[in-house]
Amino acid sequence: MSTTVLAASTSLDFSLTQKLTVIALCALTAFISHMALAVFNDGVRPFMLDFIQGRSTRTATTAVSFGLSAGFIFGLGAPMALSSGVLNPWLLFLPTDILGILAPRKWLAPLLGGAWGAVVVFGLNGANEVAHDLPVDFLTAMQQMSTPILFLFTLFPVLAITRQFGRLRGGLAAVLELALVIMTMKLWPNVFAGSLAMAAGVLLLIGFAVRKDLARREADRAAALAAGERTTGTGVEEPDDPMASLFSSSALRLRRFLPLFMVLGAGVCVLAQMHIFGGGEATSFLIAKGQYGEAAQVDFYRVFGFVPLIATTALASGAYGIAGFTLVYPIGYLMPNPFLAAVVGAVVFALEVLALSSIGKVLGKLPSVRDSSEHLRGAITETLSLAILFGSLLAANVMGGGLAILIVGGLYLLNEAMGRPVVRMAAAPAAVIAGGVLLNILYWLDLFTPLKG
C-alpha cells in the first residue's frame, strides 16, 4: 500500500442524494434517541435505564450525553472528516444522541437531527474550502495522520493477546504480524499491508480465548463428576435471577420496535455503501483512498471488540446501539448498490435485535471471550491514541516546523495537566486545528512565515 498522504483537495462536496440520505438518517437517529431506543455513545447507554424508568430527567440525561460526547464531536469527528473528506459516526451520531434526548417533543427530535445533518452536508465543505485557502493549510497537514493510524492500528490484536495471555504468546503474535505485513507489502503492494496481519492476530486471540473457556468447562465438569454431582454444564441461569428478568424485559422492549430498527439498519448500511462515510479512524482514510475491501476488513475486526459491550449494555439498559454491532459498516462498504444495501442492512439489524437474548446467554458461558473483547477495545484505544498523537505532531511539523510542534504538543500536554477536559484521543487533532488557527493569526501579524512545499 502506498504510504503517501491523500490529495490536498479532499472534498466534502456531496451529491443531492447523499445530502438527503445524511439528513434523513440524522433525523431518524435523533428520533430513536428521543425514544430512548438506541444511542451511539457506549458510555451514555448505561444511563438510559434510569431515563427509561423515569428516575432521571431528560435534562439530566442530556447533560450526561453532552459531557461524554462533546470532546469526540469537536476534537475527533470534525477534524477527521475535514482531513479525510469522509464523514464518521462521531460527527453524525453523537450530536443526534444529544439532540434527540434534549428534544421535549417527538416531532421536534427529527427536526433537530435533520437540521444537524444539513449543517454537516452544507456547511462542512464551505469550512473545508476556506481552510484550504488559508496561508497555513492545516487540513492538508492533518492528512499526515493517515499513515500512523493505518499502520499502528495493525498492532491492536498483539496488545490484546499480550495483556490477556502473557508475553510469550504476545511476542509470537507480534513476530507473525510483522512477517505478514512485510510479506503483504512485498507480494501485494496495492493491498493494505495490515490486512492479513490483523486477521491473523484477531483469529489467534479468539482461538486462545475459546480454548481457555473450553478447558475451564471441562475442568469444572470433571471436578463436579469427581464430587459425585450431576451437572449439565456451567453458566445455567437461575429462574429467579433478577438480571435475567431485566435482560428479558429489555430484549422484549427492543423487539417491539423491530420495524424501526430495520429502517435504521437500512439507512446506516446505505450511508456506508455510498462511500462518503467511515466507521472508524483507520477506515475513514481507507475509504478516502478507495480501498473499500480493506476498510470492510478493518471494521469487521472491530466488531469482535464491541459485540459483548453493546449486547450486555443493551440488555441491561433497554437501549441498543445506533449502529448495532457495527456489522452494517463493512457490509455496506461492499454492497454493489444502495437498494441491496438497504435490504441487507434491514435484515442484519433484525437478526441482531432478535438474537440479543441468545447472545447474552452465550457470552455468559464464555468469560474469556468477554475478557478478550475488553482487551481488544482497550488495545484499539491505546494504538489509536498513540497513532493520532504521532500523526498530529507530523501534521504540526508540516504546517509550521518546530514552532507548530511546540504549540500542538504544548496544547496536548496542557490538556493532560488540566485533567483532560478534552478526551485524550481527541486532544491532539483539536490541538492541530487550534495551532493552525494560531499560526494563521501570527502570519497575518507578520510574525510567522509558512513553510514551503
Side-chain angles (χ1 to χ4, degrees):
M1 188 192 82
S2 172
T3 59
T4 56
V5 297
L6 309 180
S9 58
T10 49
S11 175
L12 287 158
D13 187 16
F14 307 118
S15 70
L16 179 60
T17 301
Q18 292 169 340
K19 290 176 179 177
L20 292 177
T21 300
V22 171
I23 292 171
L25 185 57
C26 286
L28 177 62
T29 54
F31 178 74
I32 290 175
S33 172
H34 173 87
M35 298 285 288
L37 291 173
V39 289
F40 180 77
N41 193 321
D42 295 321
V44 173
R45 200 171 302 114
F47 294 92
M48 297 304 289
L49 181 63
D50 286 341
F51 177 62
I52 292 168
Q53 296 182 349
R55 295 193 296 269
S56 178
T57 64
R58 189 171 291 279
T59 301
T61 310
T62 300
V64 169
S65 182
F66 181 82
L68 293 175
S69 302
F72 286 103
I73 297 169
F74 301 108
L76 187 62
M80 287 295 295
L82 289 168
S83 59
S84 68
V86 176
L87 301 178
N88 58 69
W90 306 285
L91 182 63
L92 295 184
F93 302 146
L94 289 180
T96 58
D97 279 359
I98 300 168
L99 294 171
I101 298 171
L102 174 66
R105 297 288 184 270
K106 285 184 181 180
W107 59 266
L108 184 58
L111 288 181
L112 292 176
W116 174 255
V119 168
V120 170
V121 296
F122 289 105
L124 213 57
N125 191 51
N128 186 56
E129 292 177 351
V130 169
H132 281 308
D133 290 336
L134 292 173
V136 180
D137 184 357
F138 53 87
L139 293 186
T140 297
M142 287 182 72
Q143 293 169 14
Q144 295 286 332
M145 291 194 300
S146 64
T147 299
I149 287 174
L150 290 173
F151 279 87
L152 286 176
F153 184 73
T154 302
L155 290 174
F156 77 87
V158 174
L159 270 63
I161 291 171
T162 305
R163 295 269 166 75
Q164 187 172 7
F165 297 106
R167 300 175 186 175
L168 177 59
R169 292 181 180 179
L172 291 174
V175 171
L176 176 61
E177 284 209 7
L178 179 60
L180 289 173
V181 167
I182 294 172
M183 184 183 74
T184 304
M185 294 178 74
K186 183 69 174 178
L187 299 179
W188 305 289
N190 294 323
V191 174
F192 171 44
S195 298
L196 288 178
M198 279 190 289
V202 171
L203 288 174
L204 277 177
L205 177 65
I206 295 172
F208 290 149
V210 170
R211 184 174 181 273
K212 183 177 180 179
D213 281 333
L214 292 177
R216 180 187 58 82
R217 294 186 68 183
E218 286 298 322
D220 289 346
R221 185 177 291 109
L225 289 173
E229 299 175 0
R230 183 174 179 274
T231 180
T232 58
T234 60
V236 179
E237 289 182 346
E238 295 295 332
D240 59 348
D241 183 357
M243 287 304 295
S245 176
L246 174 62
F247 280 15
S248 177
S249 62
S250 295
L252 184 61
R253 176 179 186 265
L254 295 175
R255 287 179 186 177
R256 286 201 300 267
F257 295 92
L258 188 61
L260 189 58
F261 281 115
M262 292 176 70
V263 175
L264 176 61
V268 176
C269 200
V270 167
L271 185 64
Q273 191 279 332
M274 289 179 168
H275 300 149
I276 61 169
F277 174 90
E281 300 88 345
T283 316
S284 293
F285 288 109
L286 288 171
I287 292 290
K289 293 171 182 286
Q291 296 178 310
Y292 308 131
E294 288 88 344
Q297 191 176 354
V298 168
D299 271 355
F300 179 72
Y301 299 145
R302 290 173 66 108
V303 170
F304 293 102
F306 288 90
V307 166
L309 172 68
I310 294 170
T312 52
T313 54
L315 289 169
S317 67
Y320 197 39
I322 286 294
F325 293 146
T326 70
L327 274 170
V328 288
Y329 293 163
I331 291 172
Y333 304 148
L334 300 177
M335 287 291 103
N337 60 70
F339 303 104
L340 183 59
V343 173
V344 175
V347 172
V348 168
F349 249 59
L351 293 175
E352 288 180 7
V353 172
L354 293 173
L356 268 177
S357 292
S358 299
I359 292 172
K361 292 176 182 177
V362 170
L363 290 174
K365 299 178 181 179
L366 298 172
S368 295
V369 173
R370 292 201 312 272
D371 290 345
S372 295
S373 170
E374 294 179 8
H375 286 296
L376 275 176
R377 292 198 309 275
I380 287 171
T381 300
E382 193 170 348
T383 53
L384 286 175
S385 294
L386 176 61
I388 290 172
L389 173 59
F390 185 61
S392 297
L393 292 175
L394 287 177
N397 185 56
V398 167
M399 70 183 185
L403 177 60
I405 291 175
L406 171 65
I407 294 171
V408 172
L411 288 173
Y412 178 86
L413 292 173
L414 182 61
N415 184 70
E416 290 285 305
M418 294 173 63
R420 296 181 198 145
V422 178
V423 290
R424 176 178 282 172
M425 191 178 293
V432 174
I433 291 181
V437 172
L438 178 57
L439 289 176
N440 278 290
I441 293 174
L442 292 176
Y443 168 80
W444 289 322
L445 294 175
D446 200 23
L447 297 174
F448 171 74
T449 302
L451 299 181
K452 301 296 183 182

